[in-house]
Amino acid sequence: VKARQWVERFVIRRCSGVLVLSEFMRQRVLHVHAVPAELVHLAPGAVDLARFCVAEDRVVVRESLSLPQNKVIIFTVRRLVPRMGLENLILAAKELGEEGKDCLFVIGGEGPLRAQLDQMIHEEGLVDRISLRGFIPEHDLPAYYQAADFFILPTYALEGFGLVMVEALACGTPVIGTPIGAIPEVLNQLDQDLIASGVDAASLAQAIRGARRRFYARPAEWRRLSAAGRALVESRYTWDSHVRQFETILYQVKEAA
């Protein structure tokens, strides 16, 4: 870690400018590498709104993915490594108890924890509640977002931007996340109640339970948040917006050089 920090600092201090995708990462660069604030520029990440869009018919989308129509689909896609918090998500599924019997957690991605997660699912008796889908091809990813009732980001360390979160919102899928990295930076613009109080299984279960009770008692509220999420992405996380900001930063760096 110290070697990597030294290399990063060596490079950053010789740059005319540093581009980051979130205020969280901006503050982290300033803190870790002690560079002047004017050196670090923010241009939020972006998604392709034509690819990541709201489905015309979620029933059809679920059929295409062989997902059940009568379940609450909670989706996440992550590299299967420790900092993603997937072990806690599995334990949260168990903690929901009877209230989670109509939920199906769909986990996409590959990584070194695949065998361990699969073993956990079997040991906890959650085979009917959790589906490890493995690697999801890029062209199939929008459909998984569209099919889900919620997207969940259970990260417990270093979420520099959270592109998958913005992709889900672009597809009209509300996001539940942990209070880590840039996750609150995005979700606080929509609904702070969708941010779990912590990263542990109990906190995740509480956030999921609260979201289910709230939105399934008031379907119109789910539709409102779905539309608000899409609108947020259209206003802040498009490639046109990112390119304009990036171009402005390039001019600023050039003039300061």
Side-chain angles (χ1 to χ4, degrees):
V1 171
K2 288 185 178 298
R4 189 172 76 172
Q5 286 183 351
W6 184 89
V7 171
E8 285 181 354
R9 185 169 300 173
F10 179 86
V11 172
I12 286 174
R13 289 185 173 180
R14 285 157 180 77
C15 291
S16 299
V18 179
L19 178 69
V20 295
L21 300 180
S22 66
E23 180 61 27
F24 165 74
M25 285 306 298
R26 183 175 184 275
Q27 294 302 323
R28 186 173 177 84
V29 170
L30 293 175
H31 173 73
V32 172
H33 298 301
V35 295
E38 60 270 18
L39 184 70
V40 188
H41 305 272
L42 169 61
V47 299
D48 182 346
L49 293 180
R51 286 191 62 237
F52 296 95
C53 59
V54 180
E56 293 183 8
D57 189 334
R58 288 205 304 155
V59 171
V60 173
V61 175
R62 286 194 178 189
E63 287 177 351
S64 71
L65 299 174
S66 299
L67 291 172
Q69 303 291 344
N70 62 341
K71 294 283 188 178
V72 177
I73 304 293
I74 302 172
F75 174 57
T76 194
V77 58
R78 308 261 68 194
R79 177 155 169 74
L80 307 186
V81 296
R83 76 172 182 86
M84 301 302 184
L86 296 169
E87 304 96 322
N88 290 336
L89 182 60
I90 291 171
L91 295 177
K94 181 179 181 181
E95 186 146 340
L96 288 171
E98 283 298 301
E99 195 168 359
K101 65 183 179 181
D102 64 343
C103 292
L104 177 63
F105 291 80
V106 178
I107 301 174
E110 286 288 357
L113 287 185
R114 174 65 188 259
Q116 178 182 328
L117 296 176
D118 190 51
Q119 182 179 350
M120 277 188 69
I121 291 168
H122 282 79
E123 289 177 349
E124 300 295 345
L126 296 169
V127 175
D128 294 335
R129 293 193 188 184
I130 301 177
S131 173
L132 291 180
R133 288 277 169 138
F135 173 73
I136 297 177
E138 189 72 21
H139 58 79
D140 288 338
L141 193 52
Y144 276 90
Y145 291 130
Q146 293 166 349
D149 293 282
F150 299 101
F151 183 82
I152 190 163
L153 209 56
T155 309
Y156 71 73
L158 188 63
E159 192 68 55
F161 174 59
L163 180 62
V164 289
M165 171 173 53
V166 179
E167 290 174 344
L169 293 173
C171 293
T173 302
V175 174
I176 300 168
T178 51
I180 296 298
I183 296 174
E185 194 173 321
V186 175
L187 294 188
N188 275 330
Q189 299 175 79
L190 289 169
D191 193 324
Q192 63 182 12
D193 289 340
L194 293 179
I195 303 172
S197 59
V199 301
D200 57 286
S203 297
L204 289 172
Q206 182 180 6
I208 295 166
R209 188 180 292 116
R212 287 189 67 251
R213 291 175 179 176
R214 172 183 171 190
F215 294 114
Y216 284 88
R218 294 179 289 168
E221 179 69 1
W222 186 94
R223 292 191 292 271
R224 181 199 66 79
L225 187 60
S226 170
R230 173 70 185 188
L232 174 65
V233 177
E234 289 176 343
S235 66
R236 184 165 173 77
Y237 301 109
T238 68
W239 279 112
D240 284 345
S241 174
H242 181 83
V243 169
R244 284 195 302 270
Q245 293 176 78
F246 184 43
E247 186 178 41
T248 299
I249 291 168
L250 289 177
Y251 279 113
Q252 290 174 348
V253 171
K254 182 176 182 296
E255 291 173 1

